[in-house]
Amino acid sequence: MRKIQSKLNVNSPEFRANMAHNRRLVAAFREKQEAARHARPQRDLDRMEKQGKMPPRKRIEMLLDPGTPFLELSSLAANREYDGDSPSASAIVGIGTVSGREVLIRADDPTVKGGAWYPLTVKKIVRALDIAMENHLPVIHMCDSAGGFLQLQSEVFPDKHMAGRIFRNQSILSKKGIKQLALVFGHCTAGGAYIPGLSDYSVIVRGTGAVFLGGPPLVKAATGEEVTVEELGGAEMHTSVSGTCDYPARDEADAIRIGREIVSQWDRPKKWAFQQEAPEAPAYDPEEIYGILPDDIKKQFDIREIIARIVDGSRFHEYQPNYGQTLICGYANIWGIKVGILANNGVLFNESSLKGAHFIELCNQNNTPLLFLQNITGYMIGREYERRGITKDGAKMIMAQSCSRVPKFTVMCNGSFGAGNYGMCGRAFDGRFLFTWPNHQIGVMGGDQAANTLAEVKANQMRRNGGTVDEAAIQALWQDTRRAYEDQLSAYYATSQIWDDGIIDPVDTRNALALALSAAMNAPLGDEGYGVFRF
């Protein structure tokens, strides 16, 4: 493959302005992420220490093989919710290596309300187990939770993708032969008791670990029976009487040691035969991405410059370079793994939509994972393009992408608006992983377009009702819509709602994708087949 010839002028005023702007965005992101990971009331840290417990991140550090990376997912989940009382949605999720096996780790965070599950905690856990199923990753549950956050029980308990989905997913994982280990460091109460109950293996710490459907206060209120935590669900009882747990541990370090021994007995899954070469660093400095990304979401840039700073050797075999030029398609390697890249370089026209659909088919034929780099305002609109069949051609691209059998990965590099989000493998289309950058914005349309559209509709309504247009009311509507959109379009709003698998520093994209690609190779390829393409 030939090396991309960068045309970037790193000495231009535009590059320097972009660099300064995006460094500020990344610094703000790092600050928010650090607070979500570590800022806790001292009383909660003191309580953990008094109980002989380690902070959850220390537990994960001891569990992982020394010197191996940990790909944390959704580190800023719930950052806009619950008045900031649930940093990282009260849970830590990520992919790492334990006893030489790639695993998904899901850890309760007892430094936040005793590890209680908020609605977005449940959503984060459900997503984690979806990732485990999609990628055939064994799961290690690090259990220490007070159960559902009762004040918000209506948002935690009853619906299809609420808490019950956790236990459904655990059951399906077992059915598929995907292993699960529960390390019980603290209480597993109510529904949370089913986490170790549905795991293939479980280790429980003496003195602090406990598993019960109802704790002592609820038992007394419901039955009048007075019973201690240890009698009701402690380590000794569950490992010698009920058989609910398998191994007692003297402390948390011992539980982690036992857990690592258990994982070392597991067979190693065979990854499917993807194309792989020796890895090579990009020829251009990835930090230059900061100078490529514009300081205004409306400004365009050449996505090839981004590709050149992510892929091995900055080499890229571009497919149909002279056709449908607003969608860049081609092959490259990331840490040695062959991928097919679809990257936006403008609005999607008929030709670029057809090009994208055909390239997706080629990657499926060639067993090549797909990487979507999104910076899209949508599909082209207007009379001429509707007559040429833009809806029909866009549907072809969506059909090809939806029915793809190879793993799909998405990075939101800048804007993601309208149906372009769909064709480029947005969240609804079951990509294996979706990451965003701090500058990212997402919405059905941009803030100005939405405000202008609603203002025009309101003005027409006033005219139809026989009155004059109230310019002050129109302007107020415009301003209110614009403000609401500005807030909801941001990367922090999206990641708070877990519409992605986490914000990442653009410079870290290559490494994050390598870990995600490696994890995805554990699952066999899907079945071939497409629905009806409208010709």
Side-chain angles (χ1 to χ4, degrees):
M1 287 185 287
R2 106 182 24 166
K3 176 183 167 184
I4 294 174
Q5 297 302 309
S6 176
K7 299 176 182 177
L8 191 64
N9 180 1
V10 298
N11 297 312
S12 70
E14 182 182 34
F15 179 89
R16 290 197 294 269
N18 289 343
M19 177 72 78
H21 172 76
N22 286 296
R23 284 194 185 279
R24 285 194 296 271
L25 290 184
V26 169
F29 157 63
R30 292 292 190 191
E31 185 177 343
K32 290 177 186 290
Q33 189 178 58
E34 182 71 11
R37 287 173 170 171
H38 301 293
R40 300 291 185 273
Q42 190 60 45
R43 66 178 183 276
D44 292 325
L45 299 176
D46 292 343
R47 171 177 52 80
M48 291 275 292
E49 186 176 2
K50 186 177 179 181
Q51 293 172 341
K53 292 182 175 183
M54 289 185 273
R57 292 183 182 276
K58 179 64 175 177
R59 293 168 177 168
I60 293 172
E61 182 183 337
M62 287 189 67
L63 179 68
L64 294 169
D65 290 354
T68 59
F70 180 63
L71 177 61
E72 184 174 356
L73 306 174
S74 298
S75 63
L76 291 177
N79 76 87
R80 295 288 191 92
E81 299 295 323
Y82 319 124
D83 298 320
D85 285 345
S86 181
S88 291
S90 309
I92 304 165
V93 168
I95 295 169
T97 304
V98 176
S99 297
R101 280 81 172 165
E102 283 176 309
V103 299
L104 184 137
I105 299 170
R106 182 208 68 76
D108 296 316
D109 188 347
T111 66
V112 181
K113 304 287 186 184
W117 291 353
Y118 284 75
L120 283 170
T121 313
V122 171
K123 185 175 182 180
K124 186 170 179 177
I125 297 171
V126 170
R127 170 60 185 153
L129 298 182
D130 282 341
I131 288 171
M133 281 192 286
E134 291 164 356
N135 299 289
H136 284 216
L137 289 172
V139 180
I140 299 178
H141 303 274
M142 306 185 85
C143 305
D144 193 350
S145 171
F149 191 68
L150 295 181
Q151 292 94 319
L152 298 173
Q153 68 85 25
S154 66
E155 300 174 51
V156 170
F157 173 69
D159 207 356
K160 180 177 179 180
H161 290 285
M162 294 183 181
R165 193 74 174 184
I166 296 171
F167 315 124
R168 175 265 184 194
N169 279 2
Q170 281 194 269
S171 302
I172 300 300
L173 282 165
S174 185
K175 173 184 174 181
K176 291 178 176 290
I178 302 170
K179 301 171 185 66
Q180 296 176 79
L181 163 66
L183 302 177
V184 181
F185 297 111
H187 287 191
C188 296
T189 307
Y194 292 112
I195 296 280
L198 288 166
S199 294
D200 306 301
Y201 305 83
S202 61
V203 182
I204 183 169
V205 178
R206 285 191 171 101
T208 57
V211 177
F212 32 56
L213 295 180
L218 180 57
V219 169
K220 184 175 181 180
T223 70
E225 180 185 10
E226 293 193 9
V227 63
T228 67
V229 167
E230 286 300 311
E231 292 170 331
L232 186 62
E236 204 61 41
M237 192 280 290
H238 275 314
T239 57
S240 63
V241 178
S242 76
T244 299
C245 296
D246 302 318
Y247 304 84
R250 62 178 178 272
D251 56 25
E252 294 193 356
D254 189 41
I256 292 169
R257 179 190 62 78
I258 295 170
R260 286 182 51 82
E261 283 188 8
I262 291 168
V263 175
S264 72
Q265 311 308 313
W266 294 351
D267 61 341
R268 299 175 187 268
K270 291 184 179 178
K271 300 192 176 190
W272 56 273
F274 54 92
Q275 293 187 62
Q276 190 171 24
E277 300 174 9
E280 183 182 352
Y284 303 105
D285 185 355
E287 291 226 358
E288 291 174 351
I289 292 174
Y290 298 147
I292 298 167
L293 294 172
D295 56 8
D296 184 337
I297 200 79
K298 298 173 188 172
K299 293 181 181 177
Q300 280 295 317
F301 59 92
D302 188 352
I303 197 69
R304 294 181 187 85
E305 300 286 0
I306 300 293
I307 296 171
R309 287 152 182 87
I310 292 176
V311 303
D312 289 13
S314 302
R315 288 190 298 275
F316 183 60
H317 172 81
E318 188 168 345
Y319 172 71
Q320 288 191 327
N322 296 328
Y323 182 72
Q325 295 183 32
T326 58
L327 182 67
I328 306 303
C329 299
Y331 299 103
N333 292 343
I334 294 178
W335 275 95
I337 300 174
K338 181 78 68 185
V339 295
I341 297 175
L342 294 92
N344 300 120
N345 233 18
V347 66
L348 287 165
F349 291 95
N350 298 74
E351 295 83 1
S352 40
S353 303
L354 293 170
K355 173 181 171 179
H358 190 62
F359 183 69
I360 290 169
E361 290 181 309
L362 294 176
C363 287
N364 275 267
Q365 180 195 60
N366 198 47
N367 294 339
T368 304
L370 290 163
L371 171 60
F372 296 84
L373 301 178
Q374 281 208 25
N375 177 30
I376 183 62
T377 56
Y379 289 92
M380 191 61 192
I381 60 174
R383 180 173 60 184
E384 176 190 349
Y385 299 100
E386 291 295 353
R387 290 174 65 87
R388 289 171 55 190
I390 186 61
T391 300
K392 185 173 63 174
D393 293 339
K396 291 187 182 76
M397 183 176 173
I398 292 171
M399 176 72 77
Q401 185 267 108
S402 299
C403 299
S404 175
R405 73 190 186 99
V406 297
K408 300 179 291 188
F409 306 83
T410 304
V411 178
M412 301 294 202
C413 298
N414 202 42
S416 178
F417 298 106
N421 170 275
Y422 302 160
M424 292 294 294
C425 196
R427 188 61 152 181
F429 291 85
D430 294 333
R432 298 294 182 89
F433 295 89
L434 187 153
F435 300 111
T436 64
W437 289 351
N439 58 306
H440 166 61
Q441 291 185 14
I442 184 169
V444 70
M445 62 181 71
D448 287 344
Q449 293 96 319
N452 291 339
T453 299
L454 287 178
E456 181 66 23
V457 169
K458 186 66 175 177
N460 289 337
Q461 185 183 57
M462 289 176 177
R463 295 186 189 100
R464 283 197 306 273
N465 292 337
T468 58
V469 175
D470 185 340
E471 294 295 342
I474 295 296
Q475 184 61 25
L477 174 64
W478 193 96
Q479 293 288 356
D480 290 344
T481 303
R482 188 73 176 82
R483 276 194 298 269
Y485 259 73
E486 277 300 296
D487 179 61
Q488 294 179 14
L489 289 173
S490 81
Y492 293 106
Y493 187 94
T495 205
S496 181
Q497 299 298 318
I498 317 183
W499 295 348
D500 55 43
D501 294 313
I503 299 175
I504 58 174
D505 184 337
V507 172
D508 294 336
T509 301
R510 172 178 163 80
N511 292 337
L513 286 172
L515 292 169
L517 280 159
S518 178
M521 302 311 175
N522 289 296
L525 289 172
D527 297 327
E528 262 186 292
Y530 289 97
V532 174
F533 286 93
R534 185 176 292 276
F535 292 101

